[in-house]
């Protein structure tokens, strides 16, 4: 007889080095929401955690007629578009050539930064900063008619440009030759530098330090920590600098009390964690760095990493071109996902994870998909339940009026409200059984964790995790 256990008694099975991912099949289609781009190419897909109930996803779409579309979607956590944003949840930005990045400015504004104007040339190039309100409307009180245009000459027209939103919501712009500061409404701050301009070169990419108004700059050689006047913060590294271990390309991100970077190289790629003073964090794998797993040479590349819920999630693809996630805890220990060194999303034919965010115990992952049949590239958002099994205990079920009974290879779900239907789903998101009943036979089920979706007579759905051994 199969034994069914509610997850309260499963705590001995789980440890700090293991995490379960199960697709939330109430989200999109079997836990995946696909957004068809109608384009034959996508730029980097970016994620922004907007508020408790929604997030933004954005990218540049290269259309088959040699035009492009800069698009932003606002998605609710239930997988629906936020129809109050843009047009039915979609905001189409101007067709500027370069990449664009979105920053939050206070709780009510989005700052969009374009690295190239609509018609790109090396002689008369421009960078564009625009501001939109929370509903995706251009805010014409910002700058001039809702935007700032920054002329860039031939000498630095191909250099790296960045912006940072400072703590008072002012905006700092940098390129390879100068800094320009604007107040929160896009008016040049004439008290900064000389008439708002500070002629002082930055060394490359800029990211906030999460430490007052200090900034990190980095290129293939080093990280430099400076204040908003580009004066070195000498308490960091050696006189404000940290030299990279090797001369190569890196992705650097800053979190509160943490600075991390990943090298782009042939696998195994190396990942580092620094303290705020620019020294290697010896609490992380005892040496401050790790060689990221290749999972027995089944991983193709790592594209990005995110730190959320005290874990590092590394996103990329496998050698058979499936999206892959790899997880390490904050101490540098590999966290197995569904008892595997890496999690491969088998429901996506071809693609790669690009980033993740954690919201209320659910992991939302952004996936780039290539559709071979139609030769197009699409967005996919996956929603995974990562909640601690202990929060779904028997006592919680009983408090909600739900009970589980077991006898003769059957489990029965009882409730103060009649159970009309039971759908049993495995951790891959596959529906194993779906019955117009409150009972399910377990005799022929494999041992493991399952998610039971109970449809009740009051039009509500209850979700219960169970373990069958």
């Amino acid at each position: 007889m199969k034994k069914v256990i509610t997850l309260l008694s499963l705590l001995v099975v789980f440890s700090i080095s293991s995490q379960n991912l199960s697709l939330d099949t109430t989200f999109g289609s079997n836990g995946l929401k696909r957004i068809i781009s109608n384009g034959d190419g996508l730029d980097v897909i970016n994620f922004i955690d907007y508020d408790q109930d929604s997030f933004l996803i954005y990218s540049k779409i290269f259309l088959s007629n040699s035009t492009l579309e800069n698009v932003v979607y606002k998605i609710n956590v239930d997988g629906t578009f936020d129809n109050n944003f843009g047009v039915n949840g979609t905001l189409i930005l101007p067709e500027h050539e370069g990449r664009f990045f979105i920053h939050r400015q206070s709780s009510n504004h989005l700052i969009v930064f374009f690295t190239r104007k609509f018609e790109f040339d090396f002689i008369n190039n421009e960078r564009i900063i625009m501001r939109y309100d929370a509903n995706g409307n251009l805010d014409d009180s910002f700058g001039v008619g809702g935007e700032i245009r920054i002329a860039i000459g031939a000498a630095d027209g191909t250099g790296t440009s960045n912006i940072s939103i400072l703590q008072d919501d002012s905006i700092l712009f940098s390129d390879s030759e100068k800094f320009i500061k604007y107040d929160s409404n896009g008016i040049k701050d004439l008290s900064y530098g000389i008439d708002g301009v500070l002629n002082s070169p930055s060394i490359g990419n800029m990211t906030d330090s999460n430490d007052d108004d200090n900034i990190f700059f980095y290129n293939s050689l080093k990280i430099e920590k400076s204040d908003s006047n580009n004066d070195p913060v000498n308490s960091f590294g050696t006189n404000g600098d940290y030299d990279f271990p090797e001369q190569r390309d890196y992705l650097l991100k800053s979190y509160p009390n943490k600075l991390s970077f990943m090298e782009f190289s042939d696998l195994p790629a190396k990942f580092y964690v620094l303290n705020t003073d620019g020294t290697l964090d010896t609490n992380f794998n005892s040496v401050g760095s790790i060689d990221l797993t290749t999972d027995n040479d089944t991983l193709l590349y790592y594209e990005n990493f995110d730190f959320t819920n005290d874990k590092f999630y590394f996103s990329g693809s496998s050698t058979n071109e499936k999206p892959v996630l790899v997880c390490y805890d904050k101490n540098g220990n590999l966290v197995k996902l569904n008892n595997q060194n890496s999690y491969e999303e088998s429901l996506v034919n071809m693609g790669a994870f690009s980033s993740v965010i954690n919201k209320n115990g659910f992991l939302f992952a952004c996936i780039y998909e290539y559709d071979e049949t139609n030769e197009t590239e699409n967005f996919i958002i996956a929603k995974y339940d990562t909640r601690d099994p202990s929060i779904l205990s028997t006592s919680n079920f009983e408090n909600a009026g739900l009970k589980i009974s077991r006898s003769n290879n059957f489990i029965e779900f009882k409730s103060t409200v009649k159970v009309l239907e039971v759908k049993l789903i495995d951790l891959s998101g596959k529906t194993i059984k779906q019955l117009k009943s409150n009972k399910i036979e377990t005799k022929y089920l494999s041992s493991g964790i399952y998610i039971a979706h109970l449809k009740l007579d009051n039009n509500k759905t209850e979700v219960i995790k169970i373990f069958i051994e």
Side-chain angles (χ1 to χ4, degrees):
M1 181 178 72
K2 291 284 186 179
K3 186 176 180 182
V4 182
I5 309 170
T6 57
L7 289 186
L8 178 63
S9 58
L10 274 182
L11 294 179
V12 296
V13 177
F14 294 90
S15 68
I16 192 171
S17 60
S18 177
Q19 183 178 48
N20 286 293
L21 296 181
S22 57
L23 281 165
D24 179 358
T25 57
T26 66
F27 180 86
S29 175
N30 292 321
L32 303 177
K33 180 178 181 61
R34 180 175 279 100
I35 303 174
I36 305 299
S37 74
N38 296 317
D40 56 12
L42 294 177
D43 199 0
V44 176
I45 303 175
N46 288 291
F47 238 171
I48 289 185
D49 192 356
Y50 189 81
D51 57 29
Q52 182 176 355
D53 299 317
S54 64
F55 49 83
L56 301 180
I57 178 173
Y58 66 92
S59 181
K60 183 184 299 293
I61 302 173
F62 300 96
L63 302 175
S64 56
N65 59 0
S66 299
T67 62
L68 55 85
E69 189 171 77
N70 297 312
V71 64
V72 186
Y73 304 106
K74 188 177 181 183
I75 311 293
N76 297 318
V77 292
D78 63 1
T80 59
F81 285 96
D82 183 343
N83 290 327
N84 294 318
F85 181 80
V87 178
N88 298 322
T90 303
L91 173 62
I92 304 298
L93 299 172
E95 296 180 8
H96 294 304
E97 292 281 350
R99 285 186 173 181
F100 69 100
F101 302 93
I102 297 180
H103 302 259
R104 293 293 303 275
Q105 187 195 47
S106 70
S107 60
N108 300 316
H109 294 111
L110 298 172
I111 299 293
V112 181
F113 174 62
F114 285 98
T115 60
R116 295 283 188 273
K117 69 174 186 178
F118 180 63
E119 295 179 353
F120 171 66
D121 65 73
F122 290 98
I123 304 302
N124 186 25
N125 193 18
E126 287 181 322
R127 312 299 196 231
I128 312 295
I129 305 174
M130 308 180 75
R131 187 165 81 179
Y132 291 81
D133 66 20
N135 292 321
N137 302 305
L138 184 65
D139 181 0
D140 59 11
S141 68
F142 177 82
V144 178
E147 68 178 24
I148 303 169
R149 290 180 173 258
I150 304 172
I152 303 295
D156 57 359
T158 59
T160 300
S161 296
N162 304 268
I163 66 168
S164 177
I165 310 300
L166 304 182
Q167 291 190 332
D168 62 357
D169 283 338
S170 61
I171 300 169
L172 183 66
F173 166 86
S174 77
D175 63 26
S176 57
E177 290 189 345
K178 61 182 175 294
F179 293 81
I180 307 175
K181 189 176 181 184
Y182 301 87
D183 69 16
S184 60
N185 290 315
I187 306 303
K188 190 178 290 185
D189 180 358
L190 300 181
S191 66
Y192 179 82
I194 299 175
D195 294 334
V197 179
L198 179 65
N199 290 311
S200 179
S202 68
I203 67 167
N205 297 288
M206 174 171 67
T207 184
D208 298 337
S209 70
N210 289 290
D211 175 15
D212 297 322
D213 282 334
N214 294 324
I215 306 296
F216 287 118
F217 297 93
Y218 68 101
N219 56 20
S220 62
L221 297 175
K222 65 179 180 178
I223 306 169
E224 178 184 281
K225 187 174 184 180
S226 306
D227 62 20
S228 58
N229 292 311
N230 201 32
D231 291 327
V233 177
N234 291 323
S235 60
F236 177 80
T238 303
N239 298 322
D241 291 350
Y242 172 86
D243 292 330
F244 281 128
E246 298 183 48
Q247 184 177 345
R248 61 171 69 245
D249 290 330
Y250 293 90
L251 172 64
L252 179 143
K253 292 189 176 183
S254 173
Y255 305 96
N257 302 316
K258 195 179 298 292
L259 177 65
S260 308
F261 59 91
M262 177 177 71
E263 66 180 20
F264 290 111
S265 67
D266 295 334
L267 295 183
K270 210 169 183 68
F271 180 73
Y272 300 80
V273 177
L274 299 181
N275 298 310
T276 54
D277 63 358
T279 59
L280 286 166
D281 180 2
T282 55
N283 291 319
F284 186 81
N285 196 35
S286 75
V287 293
S289 65
I290 53 173
D291 288 327
L292 296 174
T293 180
T294 66
D295 201 359
N296 299 315
D297 295 325
T298 62
L299 303 187
L300 181 62
Y301 68 89
Y302 288 103
E303 178 173 294
N304 198 1
F305 71 89
D306 298 282
F307 184 72
T308 181
N309 201 29
D310 274 347
K311 296 182 180 70
F312 291 99
Y313 290 90
F314 297 86
S315 45
S317 71
S318 66
T319 51
N320 60 353
E321 299 182 302
K322 298 282 189 181
V324 163
L325 285 178
V326 170
C327 183
Y328 287 82
D329 67 19
K330 62 182 179 181
N331 296 316
N333 301 306
L334 180 67
V335 177
K336 291 194 173 185
L337 301 175
N338 295 352
N339 295 318
Q340 302 293 323
N341 289 344
S342 60
Y343 175 85
E344 182 179 272
E345 186 45 74
S346 60
L347 297 184
V348 176
N349 290 330
M350 184 180 294
F353 283 109
S354 64
S355 57
V356 302
I357 54 175
N358 189 290
K359 297 173 74 67
N360 303 318
F362 291 91
L363 193 71
F364 290 86
C366 189
I367 302 173
Y368 151 94
E369 177 197 48
Y370 178 66
D371 182 346
E372 289 182 289
T373 302
N374 299 306
E375 296 185 343
T376 59
E377 297 177 2
N378 303 313
F379 305 85
I380 294 181
I381 305 165
K383 182 180 180 181
Y384 299 99
D385 191 349
T386 65
R387 291 174 294 177
D388 188 327
S390 64
I391 69 173
L392 296 174
S393 66
T394 304
S395 60
N396 289 340
F397 302 151
E398 293 175 349
N399 290 339
L402 289 167
K403 294 183 179 180
I404 298 176
S405 63
R406 299 166 287 278
S407 62
N408 299 323
N409 292 318
F410 280 88
I411 62 173
E412 182 177 3
F413 301 94
K414 298 179 180 180
S415 171
T416 55
V417 179
K418 184 179 180 181
V419 178
L420 300 177
E421 179 181 291
V422 177
K423 181 165 64 173
L424 199 66
I425 299 166
D426 67 15
L427 288 181
S428 72
K430 181 181 178 181
T431 298
I432 304 301
K433 290 179 178 287
Q434 186 167 359
L435 300 170
K436 300 288 185 182
S437 171
N438 69 330
K439 289 184 178 181
I440 285 185
E441 185 178 11
T442 62
K443 182 177 180 180
Y444 301 106
L445 293 177
S446 300
S447 298
I449 298 174
Y450 295 85
I451 296 91
H453 289 250
L454 311 181
K455 184 178 179 181
L456 305 183
D457 199 25
N458 58 1
N459 292 321
K460 291 186 177 180
T461 299
E462 295 290 344
V463 180
I464 301 174
K465 283 186 177 181
I466 59 175
F467 181 70
I468 297 175
E469 67 176 15

